[in-house]
Amino acid sequence: MKNFFVKILIFMLITSCSGEKKQKEVIVPNKAWWKEAIVYQIYPRSFKDSDGDGIGDLKGIIEKLDYIKSLGVTMVWLNPFYQSPNVDNGYDVSDYKAILPEFGTMEDFDALVKGLHERDIKFVLDVVVNHSSDQHEWFKQARSSRDNPYRDYYHWWPAEKGKPNYRYSLFDAKGDAWQYDSITNSYYLHYFAKEQPDLNWENQKVRNEVYDIMQFWADKGVDGFRLDAFQFAAKDTTFPKFPEGFEKDFIQYYAMQDGLHDYLKEMNEQVFSKYDVMSVAEGAGRNFQEAHELVDSERKELNVAYAFDAVDIAKPEGYSFSHFKEVFTKWDKEFSKKGWLSIFLSNHDQARLVSRFGNDSPEFREASSKMLNTFLLSMRGTPFLYYGDEIGMTNINFDSISQYKDVAAINGYKKAASEGADMIKFMSDLNFASRDNGRTPMQWDSSENANFTSGTPWLPVNENHKSINVFTENSNPNSILNHFKKMVKLRKEHEVLIYGDYELLAAENPDIYAYTRTLNNEKVLVLLNFTNHDSSIELTEIGAINEPLINNYSTVEVNKNNIQLKPYQAIIFKLN
Ligand code: GLC
């Protein structure tokens, strides 16, 4: 048979790897709306500015509700918009029941949730309660004297006992999580910046405050909670010395400490169980067992595990594709019977999807963006998709530290410089991986500042907005944006893409990620070329291949059992 385009049905032999026919197992999925959700994450500072101060705001998001609806997504997660001094762009909360004025008012918030609900879109609140801001009234009180009633809301170490055992801080310019405070001659603990003191979860009063805050927002109609940095909330408050050489092992020694599950169970009782809400925490423990312990339904803690193994694979020097497949495959296998995962490759703490996992060169940006979105929307798990990835937004090319706004970048620079690190390498790594890459303003059209703001944007708009923007994408039926919408629609129309069993094919293929999804008698084949060259795959175990359900090229070459894919080609076939 000569090469031909799949407009015609072709048949391939039905043989299993072992040569035996597989027993058909009827899968009765344990359905839930949050498993079927498609989450769109919005960084409010960067989405749309309605009042010209250069900062995105709630009214701006309201202006774009029809755009959000047009994507087909069913849930919006908004990064924090509470009152905050903004040391860490809102992840330092000074009042959990107030809106930061630059984002708008409580009326704007209510209007936003109403507007989303009118469009059948749910809302996820980001709850930042591993720590507060040092400007929160609780902390102001706590630091004022050792016998203040709020003292035990935080972790303190009296200086007369000497310096506490070392704890690492992710954002501190010296990497030290203990900050000396002269007012009470004590140190306080901050795993993030020194303006983000960690809350003491052992204190029942703290926990009650948090449940009260969560209920306040649930009563306002939020449909989901994302718990920021929550795996670090429980601490061994005797603060023992960690083994030498492992003091900075953030996952091993800082995450998932005793008490965490008690707190989650209590939170579930006090909040989640009283509302129809989705719950997800950032981080999924240190291994599969711990991930299950967070989300298995009989434990009554959280719903969705949000694990970093995959997203952490991308490095400035590239990433191992076989490792990538292996990680997704293992996680899927571990959660195939119980528990539920999120699927994501980008968020506000990562550089841009296409720049890290695809290819942002002019030649391949479009194909590789479509390929990655096809992947995210065809895996088992709730997809969390990040604003701007639907139009293939790329990293921004900052070369001077003065251009960065992120506290992690700025303090990381200070720390590296003080340690005599190779600063050329530091800057080039930052250029690839900085969180600011993923926070540049949304590119709405080709006009000045991409129509994000009429003022001066808080973070520069990427110059490439002249060609990469929503307006241009909307007018081209073959754009990344239209592919994204098609893929969202496809997921919603084919339950197999949500609940179907996942099976990796041709694991050793160095270029192509191939898998099937099967739900009872529905089966689809997903083929994704992760390279910038043509590649092919031999598939002998597949049944009849029909017309592609989606393809980011107009054609595909099939030659008997061999399927040829173009650079970054992504295609899903329905199998008979
Ligand atoms: C989480 C957030 C990140 C923030 C940090 C401290 O990792 O995703 O943006 O800086 O917690 O709150």
Side-chain angles (χ1 to χ4, degrees), residues 88 91 128 131 171 192 196 226 228-229 282 348-349 435 439:
D88 185 19
Y91 281 95
V128 190
H131 47 269
F171 294 171
F192 295 90
Q196 296 168 294
R226 177 249 183 201
D228 179 70
E282 182 189 30
H348 64 292
D349 292 330
R435 309 195 295 179
R439 298 176 176 183

Side-chain angles (χ1 to χ4, degrees), residues 140-197:
K140 288 187 189 166
Q141 292 283 338
R143 86 188 320 175
S144 67
S145 82
R146 286 192 180 184
D147 50 19
N148 186 282
Y150 287 90
R151 184 72 171 179
D152 286 344
Y153 274 41
Y154 297 88
H155 298 285
W156 295 95
W157 186 270
E160 63 273 17
K161 278 171 69 184
K163 211 173 165 204
N165 284 319
Y166 178 76
R167 287 295 180 271
Y168 182 61
S169 162
L170 289 162
F171 294 171
D172 186 67
K174 295 197 197 86
D176 186 351
W178 289 110
Q179 173 68 28
Y180 178 70
D181 200 42
S182 60
I183 305 172
T184 56
N185 187 34
S186 305
Y187 296 89
Y188 67 83
L189 187 74
H190 62 93
Y191 282 175
F192 295 90
K194 68 179 182 343
E195 296 84 356
Q196 296 168 294

Side-chain angles (χ1 to χ4, degrees), residues 41 43 77 79-80 88-92 126-131 170-171 191-193 196 226-230 232 282 306 308 347-350 406-408 435 439:
Q41 183 191 347
Y43 200 62
W77 155 24
N79 293 101
D88 185 19
N89 284 358
Y91 281 95
D92 45 324
D126 208 327
V127 183
V128 190
V129 288
N130 169 69
H131 47 269
L170 289 162
F171 294 171
Y191 282 175
F192 295 90
Q196 296 168 294
R226 177 249 183 201
L227 301 178
D228 179 70
F230 200 74
F232 305 115
E282 182 189 30
Y306 191 93
F308 281 90
N347 63 32
H348 64 292
D349 292 330
Q350 312 292 331
D406 177 14
V407 63
R435 309 195 295 179
R439 298 176 176 183

Side-chain angles (χ1 to χ4, degrees), residues 42-44 47-48 57-66 68 76 78 112 116:
I42 294 179
Y43 200 62
F47 199 60
K48 175 72 184 152
D57 46 43
L58 301 180
K59 278 208 170 88
I61 303 173
I62 295 172
E63 275 174 36
K64 295 297 179 185
L65 281 174
D66 288 337
I68 298 167
V76 163
L78 214 59
L112 173 60
L116 286 168

Side-chain angles (χ1 to χ4, degrees), residues 199-436:
L199 284 160
N200 176 9
W201 272 78
E202 279 186 359
N203 185 343
Q204 181 73 54
K205 284 191 194 143
V206 168
R207 306 205 298 273
N208 291 346
E209 298 264 17
V210 171
Y211 308 144
D212 172 65
I213 290 163
M214 292 173 84
Q215 282 168 7
F216 168 85
W217 291 100
D219 289 339
K220 282 190 156 292
V222 313
D223 311 283
F225 294 100
R226 177 249 183 201
L227 301 178
D228 179 70
F230 200 74
Q231 57 176 349
F232 305 115
K235 276 118 189 155
D236 178 344
T237 51
T238 63
F239 296 108
K241 201 169 168 31
F242 289 156
E244 217 169 300
F246 294 94
E247 298 89 345
K248 296 183 183 174
D249 193 334
F250 223 73
I251 293 302
Q252 205 53 41
Y253 291 98
Y254 295 69
M256 307 299 296
Q257 298 300 300
D258 288 353
L260 194 82
H261 290 293
D262 298 330
Y263 307 151
L264 285 171
K265 281 191 171 51
E266 190 179 66
M267 187 184 286
N268 188 304
E269 262 164 45
Q270 297 295 322
V271 188
F272 305 147
S273 65
K274 298 186 176 161
Y275 304 87
D276 184 17
V277 287
M278 174 182 91
S279 54
V280 54
E282 182 189 30
R286 295 169 291 195
N287 49 47
F288 294 129
Q289 189 193 327
E290 287 187 350
H292 273 293
E293 286 167 3
L294 289 170
V295 299
D296 285 358
S297 57
E298 74 277 6
R299 293 181 56 91
K300 299 204 183 332
E301 295 185 28
L302 299 165
N303 299 137
V304 182
Y306 191 93
F308 281 90
D309 285 17
V311 85
D312 284 345
I313 291 176
K315 297 280 179 278
E317 53 281 5
Y319 65 94
S320 150
F321 180 50
S322 59
H323 187 204
F324 182 91
K325 289 200 234 181
E326 195 188 318
V327 166
F328 275 102
T329 304
K330 272 193 189 157
W331 275 90
D332 182 87
K333 183 164 178 278
E334 291 293 332
F335 281 76
S336 58
K337 302 273 179 291
K338 240 184 181 194
W340 193 253
L341 296 173
S342 56
I343 297 290
F344 69 100
L345 283 174
S346 56
N347 63 32
H348 64 292
D349 292 330
Q350 312 292 331
R352 278 285 163 195
L353 174 69
V354 68
S355 303
R356 291 182 86 217
F357 287 98
N359 184 329
D360 62 8
S361 70
E363 197 181 353
F364 297 120
R365 183 187 63 89
E366 193 177 313
S368 65
S369 291
K370 290 177 186 170
M371 186 274 290
L372 290 165
N373 286 327
T374 309
F375 169 68
L376 293 165
L377 285 155
S378 62
M379 289 291 285
R380 176 158 50 184
T382 300
F384 282 65
L385 309 160
Y386 190 53
Y387 89 94
D389 288 342
E390 75 273 26
I391 57 167
M393 276 173 58
T394 67
N395 278 359
I396 192 162
N397 207 9
F398 287 162
D399 49 19
S400 151
I401 192 66
S402 61
Q403 292 167 293
Y404 289 92
K405 289 281 194 304
D406 177 14
V407 63
I410 296 165
N411 285 351
Y413 181 90
K414 288 185 196 152
K415 182 165 171 277
S418 73
E419 288 167 352
D422 173 352
M423 294 312 283
I424 297 188
K425 178 166 185 314
F426 179 88
M427 288 306 293
S428 118
D429 289 354
L430 201 59
N431 180 287
F432 173 79
S434 160
R435 309 195 295 179
D436 280 336

